[in-house]
Amino acid sequence: MIIEKLLLQVLIVLSPVLVYSVISNGKKELKFPFLMVFYAIAGVLCIVFSYQTFGLYWDLRYVIVVCAFLYGGMKTGWLVFATVMITRTIMGGDHLVFAYVCIASAAITVYFFRVKYQTVLSKWGKTLFTIVLSLVPVVVQVSIVSVLIRDDILLILDQSVLARYLFYYVTVIMIAAGFITLLHEAINEKKRMQEEIIRAEKFNTLAGLAASIAHEVRNPLTVVKGFLQLMKEEKKDSNQQYYSLVLSELGRAENIINDYLSFAKPELKSVEDVKLLENIHEILALLHPYAIKDGVHLNELIEISDHLLVRVDRNQLKQALVNFVKNAIEATPNGGNVTLVVQKSSDLVTIHISDTGKGMNKEELSRIGTLFYTTKDKGTGLGTMVSIRIIEAMRGTVSYQSKEFVGTTVSISLPIRRDETSSIHTFKDKNKQVI
Ligand code: ADP
Ligand code: MG
């Protein structure tokens, strides 16, 4: 009987992390403190469904308290601790103070060891650590029980049965604490992997852009070098006319490098109000050399004001849009067009990235955005997946329309944060310049 009850307890203890893993699904942060609520509910259930015999409650509340501190943080830990205490008080019974002492010993132990816990890196080390932390209150409990038995406060006739129960109890606590740690570590590992994929894809994009940017920077430098040589040969001070040219070419080189560096900069993750237009201009400037290299015209048709704000992570939005535009350029043959149309509709702003490229058939379209799907020799098949994930994290949507051999349009919609002035309308060909 005790075994069945304890197994039910294992299920209760594991349920917070299992449900949380489904809900979080690798997301970095959730708005609602799900873990806190799930652990608190599990704490209540543990006590409500505990096995009562010898005047004692047999349940896994300590595991809940310990793991709430370790994986939910201080706030979650103390809230779950309070919930467990209150529930235990409501349940009543003879040895309430004894119960308080044991639960408090769990909370205090984990409170003091939580920093040390973070320094353990391997998941097996952490598993062992959680098991030990969960057993500390059991040791306290057993010590108190033996004192109570010695002083005849607790009357237990068959002590061998008590010993057997204790053995089951400790074993089940160890199993539950071990499993719960492994599950939490698996969730954390998944989150880390997803961040790693986003980073890796960014470096891949950077490497791809580097060649075209180096090429673009070389052009103004060649011009500057040429003029400097001219000036040196003439040795007269009639070179005023060249100075402005030299300076403007140097400025161009500087801008290209600045754009590249601003994209390459390691980012501080922060969600803020961003002027979308500014962001788009930076992206276009960054990809301009890349389009020139492939002989593709990069056009823009912008129908939003420069005051339109979206609430996003500036760098991640840039990364996502660069991926989409880069894919469009890569799909387009020499002489083709890639056009960015930015439009506003009530509370959404939509960026359409159209290309006159090779397009995709139904089968290809259904596979886009899935992990490692690529048709390029040096492709990673990560760009689209990462970009869609980034946009969706910003509460935006991405949709594709494509016709084979005609072209593709990717539409990215984002919720507008604020837009103060009326819209302006400009059209220009960013890529008229030929080298
Ligand atoms: P990668 O660019 O490394 O191949 P992505 O995830 O960015 O990986 O893209 C996956 C695949 O989707 C590309 O290899 C390409 O076949 C297809 N694709 C993406 N965008 C377009 C587009 N605009 N036109 C045609 N095909 C595209
Ligand atoms: Mg790509």
mmCIF file of all heavy atoms in Angstrom, residues 148-193:
data_model
loop_
_atom_site.group_PDB
_atom_site.id
_atom_site.type_symbol
_atom_site.label_atom_id
_atom_site.label_comp_id
_atom_site.label_asym_id
_atom_site.label_seq_id
_atom_site.Cartn_x
_atom_site.Cartn_y
_atom_site.Cartn_z
ATOM 1 N N LEU A 148 11.212 10.764 19.662
ATOM 2 C CA LEU A 148 9.811 10.627 20.073
ATOM 3 C C LEU A 148 9.510 9.202 20.517
ATOM 4 O O LEU A 148 8.782 8.971 21.486
ATOM 5 C CB LEU A 148 8.870 11.023 18.934
ATOM 6 C CG LEU A 148 8.857 12.506 18.506
ATOM 7 C CD1 LEU A 148 7.891 12.742 17.358
ATOM 8 C CD2 LEU A 148 8.482 13.395 19.679
ATOM 9 N N ILE A 149 10.093 8.235 19.811
ATOM 10 C CA ILE A 149 9.853 6.828 20.177
ATOM 11 C C ILE A 149 10.506 6.531 21.531
ATOM 12 O O ILE A 149 9.912 5.922 22.420
ATOM 13 C CB ILE A 149 10.411 5.878 19.085
ATOM 14 C CG1 ILE A 149 9.601 6.037 17.802
ATOM 15 C CG2 ILE A 149 10.374 4.420 19.547
ATOM 16 C CD1 ILE A 149 10.134 5.249 16.620
ATOM 17 N N ARG A 150 11.731 7.043 21.681
ATOM 18 C CA ARG A 150 12.469 6.787 22.929
ATOM 19 C C ARG A 150 11.705 7.347 24.136
ATOM 20 O O ARG A 150 11.592 6.723 25.168
ATOM 21 C CB ARG A 150 13.858 7.438 22.836
ATOM 22 C CG ARG A 150 14.829 6.969 23.908
ATOM 23 C CD ARG A 150 15.989 7.915 24.016
ATOM 24 N NE ARG A 150 15.527 9.265 24.369
ATOM 25 C CZ ARG A 150 16.244 10.373 24.135
ATOM 26 N NH1 ARG A 150 17.391 10.314 23.519
ATOM 27 N NH2 ARG A 150 15.774 11.544 24.513
ATOM 28 N N ASP A 151 11.153 8.527 23.925
ATOM 29 C CA ASP A 151 10.437 9.170 25.030
ATOM 30 C C ASP A 151 8.975 8.720 25.132
ATOM 31 O O ASP A 151 8.179 9.348 25.834
ATOM 32 C CB ASP A 151 10.490 10.700 24.873
ATOM 33 C CG ASP A 151 11.912 11.208 24.955
ATOM 34 O OD1 ASP A 151 12.788 10.405 25.348
ATOM 35 O OD2 ASP A 151 12.155 12.382 24.607
ATOM 36 N N ASP A 152 8.644 7.703 24.343
ATOM 37 C CA ASP A 152 7.281 7.147 24.356
ATOM 38 C C ASP A 152 6.193 8.137 23.967
ATOM 39 O O ASP A 152 5.031 8.019 24.343
ATOM 40 C CB ASP A 152 6.944 6.563 25.743
ATOM 41 C CG ASP A 152 7.712 5.283 25.966
ATOM 42 O OD1 ASP A 152 8.109 4.670 24.960
ATOM 43 O OD2 ASP A 152 7.923 4.910 27.128
ATOM 44 N N ILE A 153 6.584 9.153 23.229
ATOM 45 C CA ILE A 153 5.561 10.101 22.748
ATOM 46 C C ILE A 153 4.895 9.489 21.511
ATOM 47 O O ILE A 153 3.710 9.623 21.277
ATOM 48 C CB ILE A 153 6.197 11.467 22.426
ATOM 49 C CG1 ILE A 153 6.861 12.027 23.680
ATOM 50 C CG2 ILE A 153 5.154 12.455 21.886
ATOM 51 C CD1 ILE A 153 7.713 13.243 23.477
ATOM 52 N N LEU A 154 5.716 8.816 20.730
ATOM 53 C CA LEU A 154 5.205 8.129 19.545
ATOM 54 C C LEU A 154 5.240 6.628 19.838
ATOM 55 O O LEU A 154 6.311 6.074 20.119
ATOM 56 C CB LEU A 154 6.109 8.470 18.352
ATOM 57 C CG LEU A 154 5.564 8.194 16.976
ATOM 58 C CD1 LEU A 154 4.374 9.096 16.676
ATOM 59 C CD2 LEU A 154 6.650 8.442 15.933
ATOM 60 N N LEU A 155 4.069 6.010 19.805
ATOM 61 C CA LEU A 155 4.025 4.586 20.126
ATOM 62 C C LEU A 155 4.008 3.754 18.850
ATOM 63 O O LEU A 155 3.080 3.836 18.059
ATOM 64 C CB LEU A 155 2.775 4.291 20.958
ATOM 65 C CG LEU A 155 2.854 4.772 22.417
ATOM 66 C CD1 LEU A 155 1.530 4.557 23.117
ATOM 67 C CD2 LEU A 155 3.988 4.061 23.158
ATOM 68 N N ILE A 156 5.083 3.020 18.638
ATOM 69 C CA ILE A 156 5.134 2.171 17.455
ATOM 70 C C ILE A 156 5.433 0.757 17.921
ATOM 71 O O ILE A 156 6.479 0.476 18.522
ATOM 72 C CB ILE A 156 6.191 2.688 16.469
ATOM 73 C CG1 ILE A 156 5.697 4.018 15.922
ATOM 74 C CG2 ILE A 156 6.412 1.692 15.340
ATOM 75 C CD1 ILE A 156 6.636 4.729 15.040
ATOM 76 N N LEU A 157 4.469 -0.142 17.640
ATOM 77 C CA LEU A 157 4.623 -1.507 18.154
ATOM 78 C C LEU A 157 5.584 -2.299 17.286
ATOM 79 O O LEU A 157 6.518 -2.933 17.773
ATOM 80 C CB LEU A 157 3.247 -2.182 18.213
ATOM 81 C CG LEU A 157 2.263 -1.506 19.169
ATOM 82 C CD1 LEU A 157 0.903 -2.181 19.129
ATOM 83 C CD2 LEU A 157 2.817 -1.536 20.600
ATOM 84 N N ASP A 158 5.346 -2.208 15.977
ATOM 85 C CA ASP A 158 6.169 -3.030 15.090
ATOM 86 C C ASP A 158 7.246 -2.176 14.422
ATOM 87 O O ASP A 158 7.038 -1.585 13.369
ATOM 88 C CB ASP A 158 5.254 -3.677 14.045
ATOM 89 C CG ASP A 158 5.964 -4.826 13.365
ATOM 90 O OD1 ASP A 158 7.209 -4.892 13.492
ATOM 91 O OD2 ASP A 158 5.283 -5.624 12.712
ATOM 92 N N GLN A 159 8.396 -2.123 15.042
ATOM 93 C CA GLN A 159 9.429 -1.228 14.513
ATOM 94 C C GLN A 159 10.079 -1.748 13.230
ATOM 95 O O GLN A 159 10.645 -0.987 12.467
ATOM 96 C CB GLN A 159 10.491 -0.990 15.581
ATOM 97 C CG GLN A 159 9.902 -0.175 16.724
ATOM 98 C CD GLN A 159 10.966 0.517 17.549
ATOM 99 O OE1 GLN A 159 12.148 0.446 17.253
ATOM 100 N NE2 GLN A 159 10.549 1.172 18.618
ATOM 101 N N SER A 160 9.968 -3.085 13.010
ATOM 102 C CA SER A 160 10.564 -3.608 11.770
ATOM 103 C C SER A 160 9.769 -3.118 10.555
ATOM 104 O O SER A 160 10.315 -2.848 9.488
ATOM 105 C CB SER A 160 10.625 -5.133 11.801
ATOM 106 O OG SER A 160 9.318 -5.643 11.735
ATOM 107 N N VAL A 161 8.453 -2.987 10.726
ATOM 108 C CA VAL A 161 7.628 -2.456 9.631
ATOM 109 C C VAL A 161 8.015 -0.998 9.375
ATOM 110 O O VAL A 161 8.176 -0.564 8.236
ATOM 111 C CB VAL A 161 6.124 -2.558 9.962
ATOM 112 C CG1 VAL A 161 5.279 -1.912 8.868
ATOM 113 C CG2 VAL A 161 5.722 -3.994 10.150
ATOM 114 N N LEU A 162 8.217 -0.271 10.444
ATOM 115 C CA LEU A 162 8.620 1.131 10.307
ATOM 116 C C LEU A 162 9.942 1.227 9.529
ATOM 117 O O LEU A 162 10.094 2.048 8.630
ATOM 118 C CB LEU A 162 8.778 1.771 11.686
ATOM 119 C CG LEU A 162 9.225 3.232 11.668
ATOM 120 C CD1 LEU A 162 8.138 4.122 11.107
ATOM 121 C CD2 LEU A 162 9.596 3.703 13.073
ATOM 122 N N ALA A 163 10.862 0.321 9.873
ATOM 123 C CA ALA A 163 12.166 0.330 9.199
ATOM 124 C C ALA A 163 11.991 0.046 7.709
ATOM 125 O O ALA A 163 12.628 0.672 6.854
ATOM 126 C CB ALA A 163 13.082 -0.705 9.837
ATOM 127 N N ARG A 164 11.092 -0.906 7.401
ATOM 128 C CA ARG A 164 10.874 -1.255 5.994
ATOM 129 C C ARG A 164 10.272 -0.052 5.250
ATOM 130 O O ARG A 164 10.703 0.289 4.152
ATOM 131 C CB ARG A 164 9.950 -2.466 5.900
ATOM 132 C CG ARG A 164 10.102 -3.156 4.543
ATOM 133 C CD ARG A 164 9.335 -4.436 4.442
ATOM 134 N NE ARG A 164 7.902 -4.182 4.356
ATOM 135 C CZ ARG A 164 6.986 -4.802 5.077
ATOM 136 N NH1 ARG A 164 7.332 -5.693 5.959
ATOM 137 N NH2 ARG A 164 5.710 -4.532 4.929
ATOM 138 N N TYR A 165 9.299 0.578 5.888
ATOM 139 C CA TYR A 165 8.673 1.746 5.268
ATOM 140 C C TYR A 165 9.696 2.846 5.012
ATOM 141 O O TYR A 165 9.691 3.496 3.984
ATOM 142 C CB TYR A 165 7.555 2.293 6.176
ATOM 143 C CG TYR A 165 6.266 1.531 6.049
ATOM 144 C CD1 TYR A 165 6.218 0.275 5.459
ATOM 145 C CD2 TYR A 165 5.074 2.075 6.515
ATOM 146 C CE1 TYR A 165 5.040 -0.428 5.357
ATOM 147 C CE2 TYR A 165 3.875 1.395 6.401
ATOM 148 C CZ TYR A 165 3.861 0.134 5.828
ATOM 149 O OH TYR A 165 2.698 -0.550 5.706
ATOM 150 N N LEU A 166 10.566 2.975 5.983
ATOM 151 C CA LEU A 166 11.597 4.006 5.870
ATOM 152 C C LEU A 166 12.500 3.725 4.668
ATOM 153 O O LEU A 166 12.897 4.643 3.930
ATOM 154 C CB LEU A 166 12.425 4.023 7.158
ATOM 155 C CG LEU A 166 13.086 5.347 7.490
ATOM 156 C CD1 LEU A 166 12.053 6.441 7.640
ATOM 157 C CD2 LEU A 166 13.904 5.218 8.765
ATOM 158 N N PHE A 167 12.799 2.465 4.495
ATOM 159 C CA PHE A 167 13.647 2.079 3.364
ATOM 160 C C PHE A 167 12.960 2.441 2.035
ATOM 161 O O PHE A 167 13.563 3.040 1.143
ATOM 162 C CB PHE A 167 13.935 0.568 3.431
ATOM 163 C CG PHE A 167 14.650 0.054 2.222
ATOM 164 C CD1 PHE A 167 15.994 0.353 2.005
ATOM 165 C CD2 PHE A 167 13.969 -0.700 1.264
ATOM 166 C CE1 PHE A 167 16.652 -0.098 0.876
ATOM 167 C CE2 PHE A 167 14.619 -1.156 0.127
ATOM 168 C CZ PHE A 167 15.959 -0.855 -0.072
ATOM 169 N N TYR A 168 11.668 2.084 1.917
ATOM 170 C CA TYR A 168 10.919 2.441 0.692
ATOM 171 C C TYR A 168 10.927 3.952 0.487
ATOM 172 O O TYR A 168 11.152 4.461 -0.606
ATOM 173 C CB TYR A 168 9.445 2.013 0.803
ATOM 174 C CG TYR A 168 9.217 0.519 0.858
ATOM 175 C CD1 TYR A 168 8.090 0.008 1.507
ATOM 176 C CD2 TYR A 168 10.098 -0.377 0.251
ATOM 177 C CE1 TYR A 168 7.850 -1.348 1.558
ATOM 178 C CE2 TYR A 168 9.858 -1.743 0.315
ATOM 179 C CZ TYR A 168 8.747 -2.227 0.965
ATOM 180 O OH TYR A 168 8.507 -3.559 1.018
ATOM 181 N N TYR A 169 10.669 4.631 1.578
ATOM 182 C CA TYR A 169 10.531 6.083 1.552
ATOM 183 C C TYR A 169 11.811 6.745 1.023
ATOM 184 O O TYR A 169 11.786 7.553 0.086
ATOM 185 C CB TYR A 169 10.229 6.525 2.985
ATOM 186 C CG TYR A 169 10.004 7.987 3.218
ATOM 187 C CD1 TYR A 169 9.087 8.704 2.455
ATOM 188 C CD2 TYR A 169 10.674 8.668 4.241
ATOM 189 C CE1 TYR A 169 8.859 10.048 2.705
ATOM 190 C CE2 TYR A 169 10.451 10.002 4.496
ATOM 191 C CZ TYR A 169 9.550 10.693 3.719
ATOM 192 O OH TYR A 169 9.322 12.007 3.959
ATOM 193 N N VAL A 170 12.936 6.333 1.603
ATOM 194 C CA VAL A 170 14.224 6.915 1.187
ATOM 195 C C VAL A 170 14.513 6.580 -0.268
ATOM 196 O O VAL A 170 14.934 7.432 -1.060
ATOM 197 C CB VAL A 170 15.364 6.426 2.117
ATOM 198 C CG1 VAL A 170 16.719 6.803 1.549
ATOM 199 C CG2 VAL A 170 15.186 7.013 3.504
ATOM 200 N N THR A 171 14.236 5.324 -0.656
ATOM 201 C CA THR A 171 14.498 4.929 -2.040
ATOM 202 C C THR A 171 13.672 5.769 -3.004
ATOM 203 O O THR A 171 14.188 6.284 -4.007
ATOM 204 C CB THR A 171 14.134 3.426 -2.244
ATOM 205 O OG1 THR A 171 14.700 2.699 -1.177
ATOM 206 C CG2 THR A 171 14.634 2.907 -3.568
ATOM 207 N N VAL A 172 12.395 5.914 -2.699
ATOM 208 C CA VAL A 172 11.530 6.673 -3.605
ATOM 209 C C VAL A 172 11.956 8.147 -3.655
ATOM 210 O O VAL A 172 11.972 8.756 -4.725
ATOM 211 C CB VAL A 172 10.048 6.536 -3.181
ATOM 212 C CG1 VAL A 172 9.175 7.493 -3.957
ATOM 213 C CG2 VAL A 172 9.575 5.114 -3.417
ATOM 214 N N ILE A 173 12.351 8.707 -2.537
ATOM 215 C CA ILE A 173 12.822 10.102 -2.544
ATOM 216 C C ILE A 173 14.042 10.238 -3.450
ATOM 217 O O ILE A 173 14.147 11.168 -4.245
ATOM 218 C CB ILE A 173 13.179 10.566 -1.105
ATOM 219 C CG1 ILE A 173 11.890 10.845 -0.348
ATOM 220 C CG2 ILE A 173 14.062 11.810 -1.129
ATOM 221 C CD1 ILE A 173 12.072 11.475 1.005
ATOM 222 N N MET A 174 14.955 9.272 -3.340
ATOM 223 C CA MET A 174 16.164 9.349 -4.169
ATOM 224 C C MET A 174 15.816 9.266 -5.652
ATOM 225 O O MET A 174 16.335 10.025 -6.476
ATOM 226 C CB MET A 174 17.134 8.223 -3.780
ATOM 227 C CG MET A 174 17.793 8.497 -2.434
ATOM 228 S SD MET A 174 18.653 7.089 -1.743
ATOM 229 C CE MET A 174 19.982 6.868 -2.855
ATOM 230 N N ILE A 175 14.916 8.345 -5.981
ATOM 231 C CA ILE A 175 14.529 8.201 -7.394
ATOM 232 C C ILE A 175 13.864 9.488 -7.898
ATOM 233 O O ILE A 175 14.208 10.020 -8.953
ATOM 234 C CB ILE A 175 13.575 6.997 -7.570
ATOM 235 C CG1 ILE A 175 14.346 5.700 -7.283
ATOM 236 C CG2 ILE A 175 12.989 6.961 -8.975
ATOM 237 C CD1 ILE A 175 13.476 4.463 -7.248
ATOM 238 N N ALA A 176 12.920 10.000 -7.113
ATOM 239 C CA ALA A 176 12.182 11.189 -7.548
ATOM 240 C C ALA A 176 13.118 12.386 -7.695
ATOM 241 O O ALA A 176 13.090 13.099 -8.704
ATOM 242 C CB ALA A 176 11.066 11.506 -6.559
ATOM 243 N N ALA A 177 13.989 12.591 -6.693
ATOM 244 C CA ALA A 177 14.901 13.738 -6.747
ATOM 245 C C ALA A 177 15.839 13.613 -7.951
ATOM 246 O O ALA A 177 16.132 14.590 -8.642
ATOM 247 C CB ALA A 177 15.692 13.836 -5.449
ATOM 248 N N GLY A 178 16.300 12.368 -8.196
ATOM 249 C CA GLY A 178 17.192 12.142 -9.334
ATOM 250 C C GLY A 178 16.514 12.458 -10.652
ATOM 251 O O GLY A 178 17.034 13.202 -11.491
ATOM 252 N N PHE A 179 15.317 11.925 -10.832
ATOM 253 C CA PHE A 179 14.588 12.122 -12.084
ATOM 254 C C PHE A 179 14.284 13.592 -12.336
ATOM 255 O O PHE A 179 14.443 14.097 -13.440
ATOM 256 C CB PHE A 179 13.266 11.346 -12.063
ATOM 257 C CG PHE A 179 13.375 10.036 -12.793
ATOM 258 C CD1 PHE A 179 13.171 8.828 -12.131
ATOM 259 C CD2 PHE A 179 13.680 10.016 -14.143
ATOM 260 C CE1 PHE A 179 13.289 7.620 -12.797
ATOM 261 C CE2 PHE A 179 13.790 8.805 -14.816
ATOM 262 C CZ PHE A 179 13.599 7.606 -14.141
ATOM 263 N N ILE A 180 13.809 14.230 -11.291
ATOM 264 C CA ILE A 180 13.400 15.626 -11.431
ATOM 265 C C ILE A 180 14.606 16.473 -11.864
ATOM 266 O O ILE A 180 14.497 17.348 -12.719
ATOM 267 C CB ILE A 180 12.775 16.116 -10.107
ATOM 268 C CG1 ILE A 180 11.689 17.130 -10.350
ATOM 269 C CG2 ILE A 180 13.760 16.706 -9.187
ATOM 270 C CD1 ILE A 180 10.911 17.452 -9.091
ATOM 271 N N THR A 181 15.772 16.184 -11.293
ATOM 272 C CA THR A 181 16.970 16.939 -11.678
ATOM 273 C C THR A 181 17.322 16.681 -13.137
ATOM 274 O O THR A 181 17.603 17.609 -13.897
ATOM 275 C CB THR A 181 18.173 16.529 -10.796
ATOM 276 O OG1 THR A 181 17.742 16.527 -9.454
ATOM 277 C CG2 THR A 181 19.329 17.466 -10.966
ATOM 278 N N LEU A 182 17.272 15.417 -13.523
ATOM 279 C CA LEU A 182 17.633 15.098 -14.907
ATOM 280 C C LEU A 182 16.680 15.778 -15.885
ATOM 281 O O LEU A 182 17.094 16.290 -16.926
ATOM 282 C CB LEU A 182 17.631 13.578 -15.121
ATOM 283 C CG LEU A 182 18.780 12.849 -14.405
ATOM 284 C CD1 LEU A 182 18.636 11.344 -14.556
ATOM 285 C CD2 LEU A 182 20.129 13.300 -14.951
ATOM 286 N N LEU A 183 15.380 15.802 -15.530
ATOM 287 C CA LEU A 183 14.410 16.457 -16.415
ATOM 288 C C LEU A 183 14.676 17.957 -16.499
ATOM 289 O O LEU A 183 14.676 18.535 -17.597
ATOM 290 C CB LEU A 183 12.985 16.211 -15.918
ATOM 291 C CG LEU A 183 12.440 14.815 -16.186
ATOM 292 C CD1 LEU A 183 11.142 14.581 -15.433
ATOM 293 C CD2 LEU A 183 12.212 14.613 -17.685
ATOM 294 N N HIS A 184 14.927 18.581 -15.364
ATOM 295 C CA HIS A 184 15.217 20.020 -15.380
ATOM 296 C C HIS A 184 16.482 20.308 -16.183
ATOM 297 O O HIS A 184 16.536 21.270 -16.941
ATOM 298 C CB HIS A 184 15.397 20.552 -13.956
ATOM 299 C CG HIS A 184 14.124 21.064 -13.369
ATOM 300 N ND1 HIS A 184 13.436 22.115 -13.919
ATOM 301 C CD2 HIS A 184 13.419 20.679 -12.287
ATOM 302 C CE1 HIS A 184 12.357 22.352 -13.190
ATOM 303 N NE2 HIS A 184 12.315 21.488 -12.207
ATOM 304 N N GLU A 185 17.476 19.459 -16.005
ATOM 305 C CA GLU A 185 18.720 19.682 -16.738
ATOM 306 C C GLU A 185 18.506 19.511 -18.241
ATOM 307 O O GLU A 185 19.098 20.216 -19.046
ATOM 308 C CB GLU A 185 19.819 18.729 -16.242
ATOM 309 C CG GLU A 185 20.372 19.091 -14.873
ATOM 310 C CD GLU A 185 20.888 20.520 -14.798
ATOM 311 O OE1 GLU A 185 21.609 20.939 -15.716
ATOM 312 O OE2 GLU A 185 20.541 21.232 -13.837
ATOM 313 N N ALA A 186 17.626 18.573 -18.602
ATOM 314 C CA ALA A 186 17.339 18.374 -20.034
ATOM 315 C C ALA A 186 16.677 19.625 -20.612
ATOM 316 O O ALA A 186 16.990 20.056 -21.725
ATOM 317 C CB ALA A 186 16.447 17.149 -20.227
ATOM 318 N N ILE A 187 15.757 20.225 -19.842
ATOM 319 C CA ILE A 187 15.090 21.454 -20.313
ATOM 320 C C ILE A 187 16.123 22.572 -20.485
ATOM 321 O O ILE A 187 16.159 23.256 -21.510
ATOM 322 C CB ILE A 187 14.019 21.925 -19.302
ATOM 323 C CG1 ILE A 187 12.885 20.902 -19.228
ATOM 324 C CG2 ILE A 187 13.466 23.290 -19.670
ATOM 325 C CD1 ILE A 187 11.828 21.239 -18.196
ATOM 326 N N ASN A 188 16.996 22.723 -19.490
ATOM 327 C CA ASN A 188 18.018 23.775 -19.572
ATOM 328 C C ASN A 188 18.963 23.541 -20.749
ATOM 329 O O ASN A 188 19.358 24.472 -21.430
ATOM 330 C CB ASN A 188 18.829 23.842 -18.272
ATOM 331 C CG ASN A 188 17.979 24.388 -17.151
ATOM 332 O OD1 ASN A 188 16.891 24.915 -17.396
ATOM 333 N ND2 ASN A 188 18.443 24.267 -15.919
ATOM 334 N N GLU A 189 19.286 22.269 -20.972
ATOM 335 C CA GLU A 189 20.178 21.925 -22.074
ATOM 336 C C GLU A 189 19.541 22.310 -23.406
ATOM 337 O O GLU A 189 20.191 22.839 -24.298
ATOM 338 C CB GLU A 189 20.469 20.414 -22.021
ATOM 339 C CG GLU A 189 21.397 19.878 -23.085
ATOM 340 C CD GLU A 189 22.791 20.456 -22.977
ATOM 341 O OE1 GLU A 189 23.160 20.900 -21.864
ATOM 342 O OE2 GLU A 189 23.495 20.497 -24.003
ATOM 343 N N LYS A 190 18.238 22.062 -23.518
ATOM 344 C CA LYS A 190 17.521 22.392 -24.752
ATOM 345 C C LYS A 190 17.558 23.907 -24.997
ATOM 346 O O LYS A 190 17.797 24.361 -26.103
ATOM 347 C CB LYS A 190 16.074 21.913 -24.638
ATOM 348 C CG LYS A 190 15.346 21.917 -25.964
ATOM 349 C CD LYS A 190 13.988 21.294 -25.837
ATOM 350 C CE LYS A 190 13.168 21.556 -27.070
ATOM 351 N NZ LYS A 190 11.776 21.214 -26.916
ATOM 352 N N LYS A 191 17.335 24.666 -23.922
ATOM 353 C CA LYS A 191 17.377 26.125 -24.052
ATOM 354 C C LYS A 191 18.767 26.569 -24.504
ATOM 355 O O LYS A 191 18.895 27.403 -25.381
ATOM 356 C CB LYS A 191 17.076 26.781 -22.697
ATOM 357 C CG LYS A 191 15.605 26.827 -22.360
ATOM 358 C CD LYS A 191 15.414 27.628 -21.084
ATOM 359 C CE LYS A 191 14.077 27.321 -20.476
ATOM 360 N NZ LYS A 191 13.944 27.781 -19.112
ATOM 361 N N ARG A 192 19.789 25.994 -23.874
ATOM 362 C CA ARG A 192 21.158 26.377 -24.230
ATOM 363 C C ARG A 192 21.446 26.051 -25.689
ATOM 364 O O ARG A 192 22.053 26.832 -26.403
ATOM 365 C CB ARG A 192 22.161 25.636 -23.337
ATOM 366 C CG ARG A 192 22.428 26.333 -22.014
ATOM 367 C CD ARG A 192 23.690 25.773 -21.382
ATOM 368 N NE ARG A 192 23.533 24.388 -20.972
ATOM 369 C CZ ARG A 192 23.039 24.008 -19.797
ATOM 370 N NH1 ARG A 192 22.678 24.906 -18.919
ATOM 371 N NH2 ARG A 192 22.923 22.727 -19.495
ATOM 372 N N MET A 193 20.960 24.881 -26.140
ATOM 373 C CA MET A 193 21.212 24.474 -27.527
ATOM 374 C C MET A 193 20.565 25.444 -28.494
ATOM 375 O O MET A 193 21.135 25.798 -29.517
ATOM 376 C CB MET A 193 20.644 23.072 -27.778
ATOM 377 C CG MET A 193 21.497 22.021 -27.167
ATOM 378 S SD MET A 193 21.961 20.706 -28.243
ATOM 379 C CE MET A 193 20.630 20.420 -29.297
#
